[in-house]
Amino acid sequence: MGRGRVLGLVASDVRFPTSLARHGSDAMHPDPDYSAVYVVIETDAPDGLKGYGLTFTLGKGTEVVVCAVNALSAHVVNKDLDEIIGDFRGFYRQLTSDGQLRWIGPEKGAVHLATAAILNAVWDLWAKQEGKPLWKLLVDMDPKQLLSCIDFRYITDALTEEEALTILQSGLVGKKQREEQMLECGYPAYTTSCAWLGYPDQQLKQLCTEALKDGWTRFKVKVGADLQDDIRRCRLVREMIGPENILMLDANQRWEVKEAIEWVTKLAEFKPLWIEEPTSPDDILGHATIAKALAPLGIGVATGEQCHNRVIFKQLLQAQALSYIQVDSCRLGSVNENLSVLLMAKKFQVPVCPHAGGVGLCELVQHLIIFDYISISGSLENRMCEYVDHLHEHFKYPVVIKNASYMPPQAAGYSTEMKEDSARKYQFPQGEVWQKLLCEHKIQLK
């Protein structure tokens, strides 16, 4: 029985008004509304299964990505799913190399976010049809089939397909034991939810206290708006969590290169493990300069949530510009492109610590990092996955955190499916939540 032909693809603009409580606030994004372009793929297969995918946005602009999804849908609708999976590399390249649409990319920006949403839905459907969670689908896949999903174009000077095959074959040793370990203990996580930049001190203290009681030992603090306020807040958090726990900093691209070095040097007394996104995500050499300057202080550089594609990651690795790779399940071109970055990270021996600060990102990226440990990296040294505690209640299969660790999902698919009621209520602007807010707060739509 075939997997079916794609009958339709529907993209929705779903927004959650997180700005009202300053959830997600940082130095560059003071009032984000966590949002998603939510894609549903339907086929004519008799199983009736649907594929659900999303890409993460911050409110305004989500409608632009919806338009990009609709523009790319011509490459998907009426396509046989067996054909897509049978030549996944070719299908990926078809989406990213449309002779006209690529001009507004290529492989970056709104058109690449749209690509991620579509491909995430395809992977969700494939995993459901196999009756496996996405991470298990990847773990069980033959290495050569896995590699056939990856577009190696533009990265063979850093990682060849032959090298990637060797990495995956080496990962077969001890794989069963690592899978059992994940099922028992989960993947270690860190929390960003305690110290958003817009939170007042009392809220910060309360959240840190609760997190410590729940077993959290790794905490990230948003910085970059005001140096003296950063010093005060970092001191407060360090006093709350104690010297034995891990502290990270995140500037969300706020600084110039020289400014980043000077600013973080003044925060070094709080012993941060890393500074995340210290400058423009496109500035490979700037990151390298910052990394070199901060190394004597024992502070690493982390970035990735706004890295356009595998080529930027390749250059960051080649330039020794980062100490921690933060892949994103919706910024890159879905699982396909993330696989290439995980493999490059293994070759360059740089730990992967995924970005998950946004609606649905925890649900998705947990699959990637669990697979990475079982089949590629084989190590938990200096590795952890971001966790935020917002909006999981809107997903049919939300993340499960136990002892500050991600427990491997058990439901088939990519954990991308939203509850129908949530998708309907928060659809912008006609959903009932937004209609109420527009009325009560007289929000002006632009």
Side-chain angles (χ1 to χ4, degrees), residues 235-254:
R235 178 172 289 116
L236 177 60
V237 173
R238 177 51 84 187
E239 290 174 352
M240 290 290 301
I241 69 174
E244 71 282 1
N245 288 324
I246 295 173
L247 176 70
M248 291 86 73
L249 307 177
D250 185 358
N252 290 95
Q253 315 155 40
R254 182 61 183 256

Tab-separated table of all heavy atoms in Angstrom, residues 235-254:
chain	number	residue	atom	x	y	z
A	235	ARG	N	24.107	39.003	39.187
A	235	ARG	CA	24.487	38.780	40.582
A	235	ARG	C	23.316	38.154	41.340
A	235	ARG	O	23.494	37.218	42.138
A	235	ARG	CB	24.911	40.088	41.231
A	235	ARG	CG	25.282	39.921	42.720
A	235	ARG	CD	25.877	41.189	43.302
A	235	ARG	NE	27.220	41.421	42.765
A	235	ARG	CZ	27.567	42.461	42.009
A	235	ARG	NH1	26.652	43.382	41.706
A	235	ARG	NH2	28.790	42.599	41.555
A	236	LEU	N	22.129	38.657	41.079
A	236	LEU	CA	20.934	38.142	41.735
A	236	LEU	C	20.725	36.659	41.400
A	236	LEU	O	20.485	35.826	42.289
A	236	LEU	CB	19.712	38.962	41.313
A	236	LEU	CG	18.349	38.521	41.847
A	236	LEU	CD1	18.324	38.555	43.365
A	236	LEU	CD2	17.247	39.413	41.280
A	237	VAL	N	20.832	36.325	40.103
A	237	VAL	CA	20.624	34.938	39.693
A	237	VAL	C	21.719	34.040	40.251
A	237	VAL	O	21.452	32.942	40.755
A	237	VAL	CB	20.554	34.832	38.152
A	237	VAL	CG1	20.509	33.362	37.722
A	237	VAL	CG2	19.338	35.572	37.615
A	238	ARG	N	22.969	34.505	40.186
A	238	ARG	CA	24.068	33.679	40.691
A	238	ARG	C	23.901	33.425	42.188
A	238	ARG	O	24.144	32.309	42.675
A	238	ARG	CB	25.404	34.345	40.392
A	238	ARG	CG	26.634	33.621	40.926
A	238	ARG	CD	26.647	32.151	40.524
A	238	ARG	NE	27.182	31.914	39.202
A	238	ARG	CZ	27.165	30.727	38.602
A	238	ARG	NH1	26.606	29.681	39.214
A	238	ARG	NH2	27.661	30.559	37.392
A	239	GLU	N	23.469	34.427	42.933
A	239	GLU	CA	23.236	34.233	44.362
A	239	GLU	C	22.085	33.260	44.609
A	239	GLU	O	22.114	32.471	45.565
A	239	GLU	CB	22.935	35.576	45.030
A	239	GLU	CG	24.154	36.498	45.110
A	239	GLU	CD	23.809	37.878	45.629
A	239	GLU	OE1	22.593	38.169	45.779
A	239	GLU	OE2	24.737	38.680	45.873
A	240	MET	N	21.094	33.293	43.723
A	240	MET	CA	19.938	32.401	43.869
A	240	MET	C	20.321	30.948	43.583
A	240	MET	O	19.924	30.043	44.312
A	240	MET	CB	18.820	32.827	42.906
A	240	MET	CG	18.141	34.143	43.270
A	240	MET	SD	17.121	34.029	44.763
A	240	MET	CE	15.956	32.762	44.313
A	241	ILE	N	21.096	30.716	42.524
A	241	ILE	CA	21.358	29.339	42.092
A	241	ILE	C	22.625	28.755	42.709
A	241	ILE	O	22.848	27.545	42.640
A	241	ILE	CB	21.438	29.244	40.554
A	241	ILE	CG1	22.691	29.951	40.009
A	241	ILE	CG2	20.173	29.802	39.924
A	241	ILE	CD1	22.881	29.767	38.511
A	242	GLY	N	23.468	29.622	43.311
A	242	GLY	CA	24.676	29.142	43.965
A	242	GLY	C	25.834	28.941	42.988
A	242	GLY	O	25.640	28.931	41.769
A	243	PRO	N	27.033	28.765	43.505
A	243	PRO	CA	28.222	28.661	42.649
A	243	PRO	C	28.341	27.340	41.915
A	243	PRO	O	29.071	27.241	40.933
A	243	PRO	CB	29.370	28.822	43.662
A	243	PRO	CG	28.800	28.330	44.959
A	243	PRO	CD	27.364	28.729	44.941
A	244	GLU	N	27.631	26.318	42.389
A	244	GLU	CA	27.796	24.984	41.804
A	244	GLU	C	26.962	24.771	40.548
A	244	GLU	O	27.242	23.875	39.746
A	244	GLU	CB	27.424	23.910	42.835
A	244	GLU	CG	25.943	23.789	43.169
A	244	GLU	CD	25.426	24.867	44.128
A	244	GLU	OE1	26.232	25.742	44.542
A	244	GLU	OE2	24.229	24.825	44.467
A	245	ASN	N	25.940	25.585	40.325
A	245	ASN	CA	25.083	25.428	39.160
A	245	ASN	C	25.586	26.246	37.976
A	245	ASN	O	26.399	27.163	38.137
A	245	ASN	CB	23.642	25.810	39.505
A	245	ASN	CG	22.982	24.774	40.400
A	245	ASN	OD1	23.229	23.578	40.263
A	245	ASN	ND2	22.147	25.223	41.334
A	246	ILE	N	25.085	25.921	36.791
A	246	ILE	CA	25.593	26.510	35.550
A	246	ILE	C	24.754	27.724	35.160
A	246	ILE	O	23.520	27.696	35.203
A	246	ILE	CB	25.585	25.464	34.429
A	246	ILE	CG1	26.560	24.329	34.759
A	246	ILE	CG2	25.964	26.093	33.086
A	246	ILE	CD1	26.510	23.169	33.793
A	247	LEU	N	25.451	28.776	34.741
A	247	LEU	CA	24.820	30.018	34.292
A	247	LEU	C	25.264	30.312	32.864
A	247	LEU	O	26.448	30.208	32.538
A	247	LEU	CB	25.215	31.176	35.213
A	247	LEU	CG	24.735	32.577	34.846
A	247	LEU	CD1	23.226	32.683	35.047
A	247	LEU	CD2	25.449	33.622	35.693
A	248	MET	N	24.320	30.665	32.001
A	248	MET	CA	24.621	31.092	30.640
A	248	MET	C	24.036	32.473	30.391
A	248	MET	O	23.075	32.864	31.052
A	248	MET	CB	24.039	30.108	29.612
A	248	MET	CG	24.712	28.756	29.584
A	248	MET	SD	24.021	27.625	30.801
A	248	MET	CE	22.451	27.230	30.059
A	249	LEU	N	24.595	33.192	29.435
A	249	LEU	CA	24.123	34.527	29.069
A	249	LEU	C	23.686	34.546	27.613
A	249	LEU	O	24.244	33.842	26.772
A	249	LEU	CB	25.238	35.561	29.265
A	249	LEU	CG	25.921	35.612	30.633
A	249	LEU	CD1	27.043	36.653	30.620
A	249	LEU	CD2	24.917	35.925	31.735
A	250	ASP	N	22.702	35.398	27.307
A	250	ASP	CA	22.176	35.492	25.944
A	250	ASP	C	21.890	36.949	25.620
A	250	ASP	O	21.042	37.583	26.252
A	250	ASP	CB	20.895	34.655	25.830
A	250	ASP	CG	20.359	34.592	24.409
A	250	ASP	OD1	20.941	35.224	23.510
A	250	ASP	OD2	19.350	33.891	24.192
A	251	ALA	N	22.609	37.498	24.628
A	251	ALA	CA	22.459	38.908	24.256
A	251	ALA	C	21.579	39.114	23.034
A	251	ALA	O	21.305	40.259	22.660
A	251	ALA	CB	23.830	39.529	23.994
A	252	ASN	N	21.159	38.047	22.370
A	252	ASN	CA	20.266	38.142	21.216
A	252	ASN	C	20.733	39.160	20.177
A	252	ASN	O	19.965	40.008	19.728
A	252	ASN	CB	18.837	38.434	21.654
A	252	ASN	CG	18.208	37.257	22.362
A	252	ASN	OD1	18.234	37.190	23.596
A	252	ASN	ND2	17.659	36.317	21.616
A	253	GLN	N	22.040	39.123	19.866
A	253	GLN	CA	22.615	39.890	18.744
A	253	GLN	C	22.727	41.393	19.017
A	253	GLN	O	22.817	42.192	18.082
A	253	GLN	CB	21.782	39.682	17.468
A	253	GLN	CG	21.397	38.252	17.177
A	253	GLN	CD	20.149	38.159	16.330
A	253	GLN	OE1	19.951	38.938	15.406
A	253	GLN	NE2	19.290	37.213	16.657
A	254	ARG	N	22.804	41.781	20.265
A	254	ARG	CA	22.692	43.199	20.612
A	254	ARG	C	23.954	44.013	20.316
A	254	ARG	O	23.872	45.212	20.017
A	254	ARG	CB	22.350	43.312	22.112
A	254	ARG	CG	22.153	44.744	22.623
A	254	ARG	CD	21.002	45.432	21.912
A	254	ARG	NE	20.845	46.823	22.339
A	254	ARG	CZ	19.911	47.262	23.166
A	254	ARG	NH1	19.046	46.411	23.687
A	254	ARG	NH2	19.831	48.527	23.494
